[in-house]
Amino acid sequence: MDSNNCDFSPMKQHLEEGIQQLILLLQSNLDILGKENYCVLGSLEDVKQHLIEIETMAASFYLNCYLSSFTDTYEDISTTVQNLSKHRHGGLIVVQRVDSVEPIIQKGTTIGALVTPKLLESIFYPGNPLHDGAVLIKGNEVVSAANVLPLTTKNIVGKKLGTRHRAALGISEKSDALALVVSEETGKISFALDGKLYPINTKQPIVF
């Protein structure tokens, strides 16, 4: 596993271009601020939307950075969550990094198999007895499924979080693990790290 593999071109280039466009948008608003017969409120809405797009693009970029340091199968994991998103199948995947998470989770069913999209998608297929819990990945191995994670107790203003999202936040608050979550209601993908939840851009492939 390559701890320095954090380029992912052209993803990085797209992110750089997006930030440059944001700077230009802000500068244009600054230039016309105060000019008679012109209101910047409409333009600021464009800035806000562009910032949201950059945030999701940056989350996609850094997700792969965080994963590639601890598993060679990060592309398989990214493919899995995109397929789950497409079919609106809920999913929760925990990638252990440095801290062991086993002391803070209620262990489910042992799997002990190499990470593949087919395996992960079958686990989270609706009706599968294992689909409600979290999958635990260490290195390149699916260690177990149907694990029960600690739930966060925090409230996020403006967001109603389901059990999967609360579990993702909970495990990220108590360890350095990264938790990927797919909403079965919306298909949206997020990841939790260090007690924060980040949205992923689902309009483009996560891996380029």
Side-chain angles (χ1 to χ4, degrees), residues 128-181:
N128 187 315
L130 305 178
H131 87 284
D132 275 337
V135 160
L136 173 61
I137 292 175
K138 294 182 189 177
N140 301 330
E141 180 186 11
V142 178
V143 176
S144 54
N147 299 289
V148 178
L149 309 184
L151 302 182
T152 185
T153 57
K154 71 166 58 173
N155 292 316
I156 299 179
V157 178
K159 289 187 178 181
K160 184 179 179 181
L161 299 178
T163 303
R164 284 193 180 95
H165 291 81
R166 289 196 171 278
L169 280 171
I171 195 70
S172 75
E173 290 170 346
K174 296 181 180 296
S175 72
D176 69 345
L178 186 149
L180 274 158
V181 58

Side-chain angles (χ1 to χ4, degrees), residues 67 70-71 73 77 81 91-97 99-102 104-105 115 120 124 133-139 141-150 164 166-172 175-182 190-193:
L67 287 178
F70 295 92
T71 176
T73 63
I77 297 171
V81 294
L92 178 57
I93 300 172
V94 176
V95 179
Q96 180 171 294
R97 303 208 301 162
D99 301 339
S100 174
V101 301
E102 294 198 32
I104 55 177
I105 69 173
V115 172
L120 293 173
F124 291 114
V135 160
L136 173 61
I137 292 175
K138 294 182 189 177
E141 180 186 11
V142 178
V143 176
S144 54
N147 299 289
V148 178
L149 309 184
R164 284 193 180 95
R166 289 196 171 278
L169 280 171
I171 195 70
S172 75
S175 72
D176 69 345
L178 186 149
L180 274 158
V181 58
V182 181
S190 306
F191 74 88
L193 186 68

Side-chain angles (χ1 to χ4, degrees), residues 60-131:
S60 299
F61 173 74
Y62 284 106
L63 169 63
N64 280 333
C65 290
Y66 299 141
L67 287 178
S68 64
S69 299
F70 295 92
T71 176
D72 295 322
T73 63
Y74 61 92
E75 291 190 16
D76 292 316
I77 297 171
S78 295
T79 297
T80 298
V81 294
Q82 288 175 94
N83 289 339
L84 292 175
S85 171
K86 179 181 178 181
H87 297 292
R88 300 285 180 90
H89 293 170
L92 178 57
I93 300 172
V94 176
V95 179
Q96 180 171 294
R97 303 208 301 162
V98 176
D99 301 339
S100 174
V101 301
E102 294 198 32
I104 55 177
I105 69 173
Q106 182 179 329
K107 191 172 180 181
T109 301
T110 299
I111 302 295
L114 182 68
V115 172
T116 65
K118 185 175 181 180
L119 172 60
L120 293 173
E121 289 170 44
S122 68
I123 289 172
F124 291 114
Y125 192 83
N128 187 315
L130 305 178
H131 87 284

